[in-house]
Amino acid sequence: CSRRSTEPMRRSVREALLGFSLLAALAGSLGLWLWLKGISLARSNWIIRASFEDAAGLAKRSPVTYRGVLVGRVRDLQVNDRAVIADLEITDPDLRLARPVLARVGAASLLGGDAVVSLIASGPSLPLKGPGPSERGCDDRRMVCDRGQVSGLQAPNLETVTATVQKLLDQADNEQLLKRLVQSTDTFKDR
């Protein structure tokens, strides 16, 4: 008789363990999916919108740095006929960037590679006290606030430097600088 009474209990414990295992697997899968998509449930992150004429190599999830330190990532990119608009998600809720601020797209190394957005703040130092970028009372004239906009520029890379050198060579050829230089040296030589 005691064997019959423990059988339903064992069955219910097994079913409970199976149910909890399935719930844990679903929660873990959901958490992994949110992490891979870059979705944060904590609302301490804030957004800066940067506008670039050319954002060569920039992609979603590209790193965003400030003074060489990783502070966020590119959340979204939109392209229109005038510019590339990048939403930069900043993960440090206390980062205070004094205006003017520029966002520069550059390669992670001299040899190229993935694009990185570097934030460059050149304004006067901000007081340590005061509202943060995502707090009420943030002064968008003095610092970049949540959903604030900044201008972007592209850092020189091998392609742009080569294009500039080619323009200089073409200009020198058009103005016959080499021929003039030879004539000048001949004039000095004759004297």
Side-chain angles (χ1 to χ4, degrees), residues 125-147:
S125 295
L126 295 168
L128 297 175
K129 302 288 183 195
S134 57
E135 295 175 6
R136 184 177 248 182
C138 179
D139 185 2
D140 196 40
R141 294 171 305 204
R142 294 185 64 204
M143 66 185 276
V144 179
C145 299
D146 188 20
R147 305 285 175 197

Side-chain angles (χ1 to χ4, degrees), residues 37-49:
K37 285 291 193 177
I39 299 171
S40 174
L41 297 179
R43 184 58 186 126
S44 61
N45 299 347
W46 53 287
I47 302 292
I48 296 174
R49 181 162 276 188

Side-chain angles (χ1 to χ4, degrees), residues 10-26:
R10 284 185 188 166
R11 195 164 125 203
S12 65
V13 168
R14 277 184 283 178
E15 290 173 354
L17 286 174
L18 180 64
F20 286 128
S21 298
L22 285 174
L23 283 175
L26 283 172

Side-chain angles (χ1 to χ4, degrees), residues 44-61:
S44 61
N45 299 347
W46 53 287
I47 302 292
I48 296 174
R49 181 162 276 188
S51 176
F52 301 96
E53 282 185 27
D54 185 1
L58 197 61
K60 287 183 181 180
R61 300 186 58 88

